[in-house]
Amino acid sequence: MTTSGINSIGTTMSFNGNTIGEIESYSGGGVAVNILEVLTCDSTDYYADKIAGALNSGNVTFGMIYQPTLNTGNYSKLKTDAEARTSGTLLITFPNGATITGSAIIANLGDPNFGSADEVIKFSCEFARKGKFTHTGV
């Protein structure tokens, strides 16, 4: 079976205008609908009805490849934003130019690490997405 899918190598993540680096893994996001149970005054059987409440764009987790020479100091900028609890613009750019962007807060930032001496240095980070995210070309 053939596919016309896009290779993910080269997908990058930026926060507050700073390109942090290449994404190794991405949990994706989405839209979750908060379902509210309600009981109307004219209900005779006491079964709850359900209505759609607020939308939630959820959290996303990234596995990042640490690239200190490509984007000098941008991990430090991300760490500074995390420590300041900064709300900013999260941007994911795919190799074909498609993007996902919106407002987010850094929920968790891991230190650069590696499993063995011959591995690429990596780090993980998680963002709590705020409000609606825009998908362009996706």
Side-chain angles (χ1 to χ4, degrees), residues 9-66:
I9 294 172
T11 301
T12 60
M13 183 267 284
S14 301
F15 186 68
N16 273 344
N18 299 310
T19 300
I20 305 305
E22 188 173 349
I23 299 170
E24 181 185 48
S25 63
Y26 170 54
S27 68
V31 177
V33 179
N34 184 20
I35 303 298
L36 305 171
E37 291 188 355
V38 296
L39 191 60
T40 61
C41 292
D42 60 351
S43 175
T44 57
D45 56 11
Y46 298 102
Y47 278 89
D49 192 3
K50 294 187 169 107
I51 60 172
L55 299 174
N56 186 332
S57 55
N59 286 12
V60 291
T61 303
F62 295 92
M64 301 294 298
I65 297 171
Y66 183 62

Side-chain angles (χ1 to χ4, degrees), residues 56-101:
N56 186 332
S57 55
N59 286 12
V60 291
T61 303
F62 295 92
M64 301 294 298
I65 297 171
Y66 183 62
Q67 298 171 296
T69 57
L70 178 62
N71 298 301
T72 305
N74 282 359
Y75 175 85
S76 294
K77 291 174 186 172
L78 192 62
K79 186 173 185 298
T80 299
D81 284 341
E83 290 171 343
R85 300 180 305 270
T86 301
S87 177
T89 300
L90 177 64
L91 171 65
I92 302 159
T93 305
F94 296 97
N96 69 343
T99 62
I100 299 174
T101 187

